């Protein structure tokens, strides 16, 4: 069998991984301990994000003709790719699940280096991925909105209660 024939199933696997994906984030995992890598994989899996290590040339071949071909410039050195699909699990944690998890994990494991990402067809470098990761999740934003709506109503109710209590005290 020729080398190309041996690599084709891996390229097909990567294409299948990227097909229908909302985002793909590439990282340099060099220097992570086994326990750190295991914890990272577990966290990503729980968020519905697939995390795999492939050869850069195979990722480049598989991404040809897709939005993810924009990652070619970041595919140097040891590279792992985290792919988030638009499924119920990932959507519940937001489209940027992979970027959020990887950026948060990089704070505790400084050896993990974010390289870049493609989110909904747009390329982001390391700094932009960090900025994306800081965006609160949909649930958090909805909670903040509800809190800001609820706060004035609660304060108004307290004022009315105090006025009513004060009015009852004067009548006695």
């Amino acid at each position: 069998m020729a080398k190309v024939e041996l690599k084709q199933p891996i390229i097909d696997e990567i294409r299948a991984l990227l097909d229908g994906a909302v985002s793909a984030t590439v990282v340099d995992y060099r220097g992570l301990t086994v326990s750190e890598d295991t914890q990272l994989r577990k966290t990503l899996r729980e968020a519905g994000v697939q995390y795999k290590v492939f050869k850069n040339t195979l990722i480049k071949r598989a991404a040809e003709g897709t939005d993810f071909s924009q990652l070619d410039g970041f595919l140097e050195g040891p590279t792992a790719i985290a792919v988030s699909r638009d499924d119920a699990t990932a959507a519940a944690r937001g489209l940027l699940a992979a970027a959020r998890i990887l950026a948060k994990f990089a704070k505790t494991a400084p050896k993990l280096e974010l390289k870049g990402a493609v989110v909904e067809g747009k390329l982001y470098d390391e700094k932009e991925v960090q900025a994306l990761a800081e965006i609160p999740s949909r649930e958090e934003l909805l909670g903040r909105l509800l809190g800001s709506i609820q706060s004035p109503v609660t304060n108004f109710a307290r004022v009315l209660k105090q006025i009513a209590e004060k009015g009852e005290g004067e009548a006695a």
Side-chain angles (χ1 to χ4, degrees):
M1 246 189 200
K3 285 186 176 182
V4 175
E5 292 172 353
L6 293 173
K7 293 178 182 179
Q8 192 58 45
I10 299 168
I11 293 170
D12 292 340
E13 178 186 353
I14 299 168
R15 274 196 188 120
L17 182 67
L18 295 175
D19 186 39
V22 173
S23 70
T25 307
V26 290
V27 295
D28 183 342
Y29 60 89
R30 190 177 8 195
L32 287 182
T33 65
V34 172
S35 63
E36 288 173 334
D37 188 55
T38 303
Q39 181 60 41
L40 176 61
R41 287 175 185 272
K42 180 179 182 260
T43 306
L44 288 167
R45 189 173 39 254
E46 288 171 354
V49 177
Q50 293 182 319
Y51 176 82
K52 297 221 175 192
V53 176
F54 295 106
K55 288 189 173 196
N56 293 330
T57 54
L58 298 179
I59 295 173
K60 287 178 184 180
R61 275 214 189 116
E64 284 176 0
T66 69
D67 289 338
F68 300 108
S69 64
Q70 299 175 74
L71 291 171
D72 286 0
F74 299 114
L75 297 175
E76 293 179 11
T79 303
I81 187 167
V83 178
S84 179
R85 296 182 169 277
D86 190 13
D87 61 19
T89 312
R93 289 172 174 74
L95 294 175
L96 308 172
R100 255 190 218 104
I101 293 167
L102 291 167
K104 182 178 177 185
F105 194 83
K107 290 178 183 174
T108 61
K111 298 280 186 180
L112 182 72
E113 293 179 32
L114 294 167
K115 292 183 177 183
V118 171
V119 179
E120 293 185 335
K122 185 171 180 341
L123 180 66
Y124 296 93
D125 65 14
E126 176 195 355
K127 290 179 183 175
E128 292 171 322
V129 172
Q130 289 285 356
L132 283 175
E134 299 299 321
I135 297 171
S137 67
R138 181 177 188 269
E139 291 77 19
E140 188 176 337
L141 288 173
L142 288 173
R144 287 181 186 179
L145 176 65
L146 182 62
S148 65
I149 291 171
Q150 187 178 7
S151 180
V153 173
T154 305
N155 290 339
F156 182 67
R158 263 192 224 119
V159 169
L160 289 176
K161 182 179 178 190
Q162 289 173 351
I163 291 171
E165 288 173 354
K166 185 177 179 184
E168 289 175 7
E170 290 176 359

